[in-house]
């Protein structure tokens, strides 16, 4: 039994709090902290057992250190903004607690996925005897574990990897993002990037597409090539990888709105001065778009996220597809959030469970595919994200 501090009270934080509260045998005490304590209190009121809440500005290491010392958790689950990762890691090092997040650090003034800032913490976490688990969401996170599972059980080498993410849900809004608008739009509007024969190849944003026929009645959907952070660690840790790409579906309406917003400068991340105040246009856009947390009761349909892998086993070519399908309606019925938050929050809880129960141990900074996939894959089936594999 362990205390855990959850930082972040958005849609993912809500899911993590719910799923941790369901396992008192693992998470004996829970604190939920956010810059807006009222959000924490609203989530706490919906949980099956009492938790503590607190106001915290995680940009400030000293505030996080003080809260950790007051509550004395064994680990921190960071589901705050990616800009805050390093500050929270610093606080964990200062207080001697384990760390977990769902997305890699991004500098506020640079839209760029890169693990270098967090990998640089390897020696410090190792010296302190602490474990930092990076990217324990779905993609990154579960997709990394799918690859590790396939490498362990199906392949001697994985040569080609396509991670394919489909949200076949509909919330009825003209334009809205399913998670933090600022992070979502920064992710989509940057240049595409994929791994091919030992080097990174860049593409113009959303310039490459394919149609993929998704299983279980979802059917054919147009997918666009993006760069996504799990590729950076997977190309290091998968044996024999020759090509790795990430694909995501978008509706025509979404892309049209996004293009218009880009054309008028609303997706810019550099500050603009207005009446003596500086604000990044994307921050203003975030304020006027629908709150992703409000989309839960409106969103119908399913997500499908999976890894299509081709490689060799015992000298023979082999293709394996491992995927999860998640219902927006079922996610909302259980935890009050749509499936995008659910598929990120459940793996965050599972990653914490793996660490606190000793299934995953280590000193230093780890990506998900570096650890034994089997107990995590078993836990996915237990906690609401069942997976299937197809040998093609």
């Amino acid at each position: 039994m362990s205390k855990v501090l959850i930082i972040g009270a958005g849609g993912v934080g809500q899911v993590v709090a719910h799923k941790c509260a369901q396992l008192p045998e693992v998470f004996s005490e829970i604190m939920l902290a956010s810059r807006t304590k009222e959000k924490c209190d609203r989530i706490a009121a919906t949980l099956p057992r009492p938790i503590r809440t607190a106001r915290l500005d995680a940009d400030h290491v000293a505030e996080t250190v003080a809260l950790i010392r007051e509550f004395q958790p064994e680990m921190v689950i960071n589901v705050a903004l990616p800009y805050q990762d390093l500050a929270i890691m610093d606080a964990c090092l200062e207080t001697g607690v384990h760390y977990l997040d769902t997305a890699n650090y991004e500098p506020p003034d640079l839209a760029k996925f890169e693990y270098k800032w967090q990998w640089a913490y390897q020696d410090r976490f190792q010296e302190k005897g602490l474990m930092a688990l990076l990217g324990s969401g779905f993609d990154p996170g579960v997709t990394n574990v799918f690859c590790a599972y396939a490498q362990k059980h199906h392949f001697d080498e994985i040569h080609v990897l396509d991670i394919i993410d489909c949200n076949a849900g509909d919330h009825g809004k003209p334009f809205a993002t399913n998670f933090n608008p600022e992070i979502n739009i920064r992710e989509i509007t940057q240049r595409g990037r994929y791994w091919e024969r030992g080097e990174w190849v860049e593409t113009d944003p959303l310039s490459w597409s394919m149609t993929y026929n998704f299983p279980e009645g979802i059917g054919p959907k147009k997918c666009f090539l993006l760069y996504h952070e799990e590729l950076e660690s997977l190309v290091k840790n998968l044996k024999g990888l020759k090509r790795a790409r990430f694909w995501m579906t978008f509706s025509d309406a979404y892309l049209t709105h996004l293009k218009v917003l880009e054309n008028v400068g609303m997706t810019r991340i550099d500050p603009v001065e207005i009446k003596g105040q500086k604000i990044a246009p994307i921050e203003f856009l975030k304020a006027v778009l629908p709150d992703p947390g409000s989309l839960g009761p409106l969103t119908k349909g399913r997500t499908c996220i999976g890894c299509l892998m081709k490689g060799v086993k015992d000298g023979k070519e082999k293709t394996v597809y491992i995927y999860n399908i998640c219902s927006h309606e079922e996610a909302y019925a259980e935890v009050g959030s749509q499936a995008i938050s659910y598929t990120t929050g459940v793996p965050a809880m599972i990653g914490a469970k793996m660490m606190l129960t000793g299934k995953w141990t280590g000193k230093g900074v780890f990506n998900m595919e570096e650890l034994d996939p089997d107990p995590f894959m078993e836990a996915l089936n237990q906690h609401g994200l069942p997976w299937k594999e197809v040998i093609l």
Side-chain angles (χ1 to χ4, degrees), residues 115-116 119-120 122 151 195 200 229-241 244 365 367 369-370:
Y115 274 118
K116 71 175 184 183
W119 284 343
Q122 170 67 23
Q151 183 167 255
W195 179 259
W200 292 105
E229 62 217 71
E230 63 262 48
L231 296 182
E232 185 180 12
S233 66
L234 288 170
V235 300
K236 286 180 58 179
N237 294 319
L238 293 184
K239 290 179 288 189
L241 196 60
V365 175
N367 291 96
E369 70 274 12
E370 296 180 90

Side-chain angles (χ1 to χ4, degrees), residues 75-316:
M75 72 175 298
V76 167
I77 300 176
N78 169 20
V79 286
L81 294 173
Y83 319 137
Q84 298 170 314
D85 287 358
L86 302 187
I88 296 173
M89 291 178 80
D90 287 336
C92 288
L93 283 170
E94 189 168 335
T95 53
V97 301
H98 302 297
Y99 171 88
L100 176 150
D101 65 32
T102 61
N104 72 354
Y105 173 73
E106 286 186 46
D109 58 351
L110 181 66
K112 187 173 186 179
F113 290 127
E114 200 166 0
Y115 274 118
K116 71 175 184 183
W117 294 285
Q118 291 179 279
W119 284 343
Y121 279 69
Q122 170 67 23
D123 291 345
R124 279 173 281 175
F125 270 83
Q126 201 166 43
E127 288 163 7
K128 289 271 191 174
L130 298 173
M131 182 175 182
L133 183 62
L134 307 183
S136 189
F138 205 105
D139 45 350
V142 174
T143 51
N144 303 61
V145 177
F146 283 172
C147 291
Y149 180 85
Q151 183 167 255
K152 181 177 179 179
H153 296 285
H154 290 297
F155 294 100
D156 296 321
E157 290 186 348
I158 297 174
H159 292 163
V160 177
L161 165 65
D162 285 294
I163 300 171
I164 312 172
D165 182 326
C166 170
N167 178 15
D170 182 14
H171 45 57
K173 297 284 187 181
F175 184 78
T177 62
N178 290 295
F179 60 95
N180 184 293
E182 186 177 351
I183 303 302
N184 182 232
I185 291 170
R186 283 166 60 113
E187 172 184 311
I188 293 165
T189 55
Q190 68 175 292
R191 287 178 64 78
R193 198 165 173 238
Y194 67 97
W195 179 259
E196 180 92 57
R197 298 186 184 278
E199 64 181 10
W200 292 105
V201 181
E202 289 197 356
T203 65
D204 290 333
L206 303 175
S207 61
W208 283 29
S209 65
M210 70 168 183
T211 298
Y212 189 76
N213 190 19
F214 291 90
E216 302 186 31
I218 293 176
K221 300 285 182 184
K222 193 172 184 179
C223 311
F224 294 83
L225 186 143
L226 303 178
Y227 179 62
H228 226 240
E229 62 217 71
E230 63 262 48
L231 296 182
E232 185 180 12
S233 66
L234 288 170
V235 300
K236 286 180 58 179
N237 294 319
L238 293 184
K239 290 179 288 189
L241 196 60
K242 297 176 181 177
R243 188 179 73 197
R245 302 178 296 189
F246 182 96
W247 306 85
M248 185 175 284
T249 61
F250 300 101
S251 69
D252 290 340
Y254 183 95
L255 293 175
T256 299
H257 279 85
L258 182 64
K259 191 64 178 175
V260 171
L261 291 168
E262 277 191 282
N263 287 343
V264 298
M266 288 304 298
T267 62
R268 286 171 52 182
I269 66 174
D270 56 306
V272 175
E273 187 167 325
I274 304 173
K275 295 182 178 179
Q277 293 189 342
K278 289 189 174 182
I279 183 170
I282 198 169
E283 293 178 3
F284 176 80
L285 180 61
K286 174 184 174 181
V288 298
L289 287 176
D291 179 353
S294 70
L295 302 177
L298 305 176
T299 308
K300 314 298 179 188
R302 295 174 291 168
T303 64
C304 178
I305 310 173
C307 295
L308 179 63
M309 294 159 283
K310 299 178 182 179
V312 293
K313 178 69 173 179
D314 298 328
K316 296 180 180 179

Side-chain angles (χ1 to χ4, degrees), residues 17 41 60 64-65 112 146 197 232 321 326 334 369 385:
D41 293 336
H60 301 294
T64 308
V65 166
K112 187 173 186 179
F146 283 172
R197 298 186 184 278
E232 185 180 12
Y321 178 49
C326 185
E334 181 188 351
E369 70 274 12
L385 291 177

